[in-house]
Amino acid sequence: MRVLFLNPPWYKLPEDGHEGWRGVRAGSRWPHTFTVDNACEKDGILPGLLGGYLPFPFWLATAGALAKQRGFEAYVRDSIALGETYDNFYSFVDSYNADVIVIETASATLKHDLAIANKIKNSHPLCVVVFTGLHIELEDKSFLERTPVIDYIAYGEYEASVVKLLEVVRDGVSDRLLSEIPGILFRSELLGVVKTEFGELIGLDSLPWAEREDGLPALNYFDGVCGLPRPQLQLMSTRGCPYGCIFCVWPQMFYKSGKYRKRTPQDVVGEIKANLQQVPYKSFYIDDDTFNMSKASVIALAKAITDAGLNTIPWATMGRADRIDDEQLDALVEAGLYSIKYGVESAEQSILDASEKYIDINKVISGIQKTSARGIKVHLTFTFGLPGDTIETIEKTIDLACELPCDTVQFSIATPYPGTRMYEMYKEAGWLQSENWEDYVGSTKAVSRTENFTGEQLEFYINEAYRRFNISKQNKMFIQCEYGKKLNNELLSRNPSKDSEIIILQCANIYFTKHLIAELNSFGWRVKVFTHERFVSDFLQVLNDENILAFNNVKHFNFDELSSTFSRLLGCNSIVVAPSSNSDGAGYDEVRKIMALSTLPSIMFSIDGNII
């Protein structure tokens, strides 16, 4: 029996001057979208859909591996990571001619994914369609009753249940056999729609390693976490979290409990080593719900990573700052931990308590300070619009974010994802502004309000928080690291007389670029900036209008679109300086091409103050 596991395409191309978008679904704790302005297609692939954050589809890939282990002819295709067009996707599905397709969906993509399933079913009427994923209606018997295109649903953590379902479909369907499979919904001629109990979560070491070949492009998966290099291997060493955050999706919808499960250190290290033999990964990311839930496990895994010689590869993970301590940090530093994500959410203890995060803000601050002091880069998350939030608590949270020793941050609007206790709380309070599932595509646009804020006010505070954090970070970095002095010395080494014209490309954080310009102005250089017109008003604060060279034919740096314009602006004494928002200039290929147009050697200056 041929089985196809699918993470279908999910995008809208730009048209009529409007931005497009790309979405991430399988593997993401929060299915969401990013803007896209490049629609150029090449051989069925849209490069504009690639290059940024792309999570690995852990459940889909592990289910595919388990199906292969049980003797099925299975194939896993992640169309989002492939960046493929819908036409290319349907062409592959037609050619594969599967007996069963398994589609991982989400609330925001449900309508979209049902349309895909209908199109496939029209072409392949005998194909069995199974739906899984992050959507509350998948657990509702009435949903299957009114959705004839779906034959079966597997809800929650689904690898084991889907493969048991495949075995029954292959060997002979009966109500008795189907009713013995935990966590599924099926149609019975006698009983109508039947929903089975969820059942016991599987031990992680009994699962095979996730499939990494098939239609799973290893080089495209990426979570930058403070500048991790790519290509990047993503994997999990644990699943679950016993804490009760009202907004956290996976524990509530996939695991159905606070149960915490661990793999052995040897199994985790074995998976990393085996994958490194196949792909030249430059980093790895352990995408656990709470990596440091068990101190002993953290130390054991760190030792295994070190003993295996993997500590020369930078890696990152996600944990709780209140649970970190010196002994863990000693082991993690030795193991090569490059960065870590910590959830702070709010500076106000009462807000954390109302969200049932069960965390002490003072311990969080201490853990962040200890981590940063060891040279581990820190990414922090903050959330606005939690129950009880006020202007005062949000202001306090922004101030704390600006004070803490962190490298990057994420500010989000508290979004009540359907299926979480937060959703039920906000619905009961009458705070939901939309129950259209397609609106649940991100955390910078509000789908709810609170007792103290409208959705628009929360959106304002997200933008304000980023603005203030970026200014604060750049001020700290320029003062502490003497960025201006470093860049000035580099320029003087190339032209001691200062008769060169400096053209800065606006290809990094706007505050970083503005600081560089202000510093170079103070050292007496003649500075111009080449920028998209949306940043002109920002640069008028540090440059005269005639020194701002604006373009509007493309939103981001694209050599083919900008090369002729930029060449006309260059003089024989022009030195091009390109600020980089990361430490190694990764993802700046188009910028480097533009820099090369100058007859003088150009400079790329990283956000951590180095020439790259």
Side-chain angles (χ1 to χ4, degrees), residues 1-6 68 72-77 89-101 124 127 214:
M1 191 168 77
R2 293 165 66 82
V3 186
L4 194 51
F5 292 86
L6 297 173
K68 290 182 179 184
F72 290 95
E73 185 179 350
Y75 190 93
V76 186
R77 190 168 186 87
F89 165 75
Y90 286 120
S91 177
F92 175 83
V93 172
D94 287 342
S95 65
Y96 191 83
N97 194 28
D99 300 295
V100 181
I101 62 168
H124 305 272
C127 181
D214 294 352

Side-chain angles (χ1 to χ4, degrees), residues 566-610:
F566 191 65
S567 294
R568 290 194 298 270
L569 298 173
L570 288 169
C572 60
N573 265 343
S574 296
I575 297 178
V576 179
V577 175
S580 166
S581 288
N582 53 46
S583 60
D584 61 358
Y588 278 73
D589 294 343
E590 294 294 301
V591 172
R592 291 183 188 277
K593 291 180 186 178
I594 292 172
M595 294 169 67
L597 293 171
S598 175
T599 57
L600 297 179
S602 301
I603 300 171
M604 182 166 280
F605 193 77
S606 76
I607 200 161
D608 53 5
N610 295 317

Side-chain angles (χ1 to χ4, degrees), residues 169-191:
V169 171
R170 178 191 61 193
D171 299 336
V173 173
S174 72
D175 286 358
R176 180 185 64 81
L177 292 174
L178 290 171
S179 64
E180 293 174 355
I181 303 172
I184 69 166
L185 286 83
F186 66 92
R187 294 184 182 87
S188 163
E189 290 186 6
L190 294 175
L191 303 174

Side-chain angles (χ1 to χ4, degrees), residues 469-603:
F469 175 81
N470 285 327
I471 291 173
S472 170
K473 180 180 179 181
Q474 296 306 324
N475 284 337
K476 290 178 189 174
M477 292 168 68
F478 270 84
I479 293 171
Q480 295 171 1
C481 303
E482 297 184 310
Y483 279 17
K485 184 177 179 180
K486 288 182 180 180
L487 184 53
N488 179 60
N489 290 340
E490 181 67 24
L491 289 167
L492 286 175
S493 71
R494 303 181 183 206
N495 190 335
S497 66
K498 286 191 178 182
D499 58 1
S500 288
E501 173 187 75
I502 311 302
I503 300 181
I504 292 191
L505 308 182
Q506 169 42 30
C507 54
N509 178 289
I510 181 69
Y511 302 102
F512 181 37
T513 309
K514 285 171 64 178
H515 269 287
L516 286 179
I517 291 172
E519 288 287 310
L520 292 179
N521 283 338
S522 71
F523 282 107
W525 292 96
R526 293 184 298 120
V527 183
K528 294 182 178 180
V529 64
F530 186 59
T531 178
H532 187 270
E533 64 179 11
R534 70 186 184 276
F535 296 121
V536 167
S537 60
D538 291 284
F539 287 119
L540 283 172
Q541 300 169 23
V542 291
L543 287 172
N544 295 326
D545 183 65
E546 63 268 19
N547 292 322
I548 301 173
L549 314 172
F551 59 85
N552 60 12
N553 56 315
V554 63
K555 190 170 182 180
H556 300 291
F557 280 84
N558 178 284
F559 180 79
D560 292 337
E561 297 291 337
L562 295 176
S563 57
S564 60
T565 300
F566 191 65
S567 294
R568 290 194 298 270
L569 298 173
L570 288 169
C572 60
N573 265 343
S574 296
I575 297 178
V576 179
V577 175
S580 166
S581 288
N582 53 46
S583 60
D584 61 358
Y588 278 73
D589 294 343
E590 294 294 301
V591 172
R592 291 183 188 277
K593 291 180 186 178
I594 292 172
M595 294 169 67
L597 293 171
S598 175
T599 57
L600 297 179
S602 301
I603 300 171

Side-chain angles (χ1 to χ4, degrees), residues 53-210:
Y53 168 69
L54 269 174
F56 183 76
F58 297 106
W59 280 270
L60 207 64
T62 307
L66 184 60
K68 290 182 179 184
Q69 189 182 76
R70 300 285 176 84
F72 290 95
E73 185 179 350
Y75 190 93
V76 186
R77 190 168 186 87
D78 186 350
S79 296
I80 288 177
L82 288 168
E84 71 176 341
T85 63
Y86 286 100
D87 286 345
N88 206 63
F89 165 75
Y90 286 120
S91 177
F92 175 83
V93 172
D94 287 342
S95 65
Y96 191 83
N97 194 28
D99 300 295
V100 181
I101 62 168
V102 180
I103 294 177
E104 182 169 326
T105 190
S107 293
T109 69
L110 180 67
K111 182 178 178 181
H112 167 276
D113 297 341
L114 287 174
I116 286 176
N118 271 299
K119 185 166 182 174
I120 293 173
K121 197 88 164 182
N122 287 337
S123 301
H124 305 272
L126 299 180
C127 181
V128 174
V129 175
V130 182
F131 261 48
T132 68
L134 284 174
H135 182 61
I136 188 59
E137 286 182 299
L138 297 184
E139 303 180 32
D140 186 344
K141 291 196 292 184
S142 67
F143 175 72
L144 186 58
E145 287 174 351
R146 65 179 187 270
T147 315
V149 70
I150 301 176
D151 296 292
Y152 301 97
I153 290 173
Y155 66 91
E157 185 178 277
Y158 61 80
E159 296 111 324
S161 58
V162 160
V163 174
K164 288 179 181 177
L165 174 60
L166 293 176
E167 291 171 341
V168 170
V169 171
R170 178 191 61 193
D171 299 336
V173 173
S174 72
D175 286 358
R176 180 185 64 81
L177 292 174
L178 290 171
S179 64
E180 293 174 355
I181 303 172
I184 69 166
L185 286 83
F186 66 92
R187 294 184 182 87
S188 163
E189 290 186 6
L190 294 175
L191 303 174
V193 172
V194 176
K195 178 182 178 181
T196 66
E197 293 297 320
F198 182 60
E200 190 68 22
L201 291 166
I202 194 168
L204 298 185
D205 282 330
S206 66
L207 287 171
W209 296 341

Side-chain angles (χ1 to χ4, degrees), residues 38-52:
N38 182 353
C40 300
E41 177 189 342
K42 184 177 180 181
D43 299 327
I45 300 298
L46 295 159
L49 305 184
L50 303 172

